[in-house]
Each structure stands twice: as C-alpha cells, then as structure tokens.
Amino acid sequence: QVQLVESGGGLVQPGGSLRLSCAASGSIFSINTMGWYRQAPGKERELVAAITSGGSTNYADSVKGRFTISRDNGKNTVDLQMNSLKPEDTAVYYCNIIMIARRYWGQGTQVTVSL
C-alpha cells in the first residue's frame, strides 16, 4: 500500500503565499514523477506542477513564475511553494506520484485565496 499525506493548505489573502507538502509512505519503490494537481468547483482536475526524479520540472502556464515545486528523493516528499496567490488559484490541491507505471493520489487539501 502507498499513502500520500498532504499538508499546508488554508485560507490566504490575494498576493499571499502558502507552502504545500506531501509525504509518501508505505511500499515505495523508485518514484518517477511527483506532482500537484488541483480541482476547482465545477472544473476538471488539472496539472499544476510536476517534477521527475532527475529534477526536471513542468508547470501549468497559469502558475509559471509564481509556484515552485521541489522534492526530496531521500524522504519521498514533494513541496509546492505558492507565491503571489490569486483568487483563481482557489481549489482542492492533490498530491500525485507515478511509481512503476501506477498513479497514486493524496486525499487533497483545500487552498482558498480570498479577502
């Protein structure tokens, strides 16, 4: 079994910052890609950012220059630093890993950007 535990969501004002963290545990073998997705009400789940085991990153155009993804391969953790947050960043954020061709999801953490 694989467990992904997210933390760091919450309420923040526009222009503020939050840091999301995700820790993978259980039967972990050579995680390939780690990433963050988000889903706003009434919208499809979308990729926010991803990072490979080699450190290559991929960002949604809407978050480039504002969000930074990082990972610690030794601890099986992935973080998402979110700066200059906008109301349109409001969503449930999900941690995701790809390991041995399977995709695993966390339970999600709510991020709300509002005055």
Side-chain angles (χ1 to χ4, degrees):
Q1 272 190 325
V2 174
Q3 295 84 38
L4 301 180
V5 178
E6 300 130 331
S7 60
L11 173 64
V12 65
Q13 293 185 350
S17 298
L18 281 175
R19 188 176 184 89
L20 304 183
S21 296
C22 174
S25 63
S27 301
I28 302 297
F29 303 96
S30 184
I31 300 173
N32 182 359
T33 302
M34 306 184 81
W36 290 91
Y37 285 68
R38 67 186 181 188
Q39 187 167 19
K43 295 188 177 181
E44 293 186 354
R45 190 173 297 190
E46 63 175 358
L47 173 69
V48 176
I51 183 168
T52 68
S53 56
S56 296
T57 58
N58 181 35
Y59 293 94
D61 288 342
S62 59
V63 306
K64 284 180 181 177
R66 300 188 297 122
F67 292 10
T68 302
I69 190 169
S70 60
R71 67 186 280 178
D72 185 324
N73 291 329
K75 296 181 179 179
N76 295 322
T77 59
V78 60
D79 291 347
L80 184 68
Q81 177 65 42
M82 305 185 293
N83 298 328
S84 302
L85 283 160
K86 304 176 180 180
E88 50 264 43
D89 294 317
T90 296
V92 178
Y93 284 70
Y94 296 90
C95 177
N96 171 266
I97 67 169
I98 299 174
M99 183 176 66
I100 314 178
R102 287 191 61 182
R103 191 180 291 272
Y104 299 86
W105 295 94
Q107 80 284 357
T109 184
Q110 177 70 45
V111 171
T112 302
V113 185
S114 179
L115 291 172

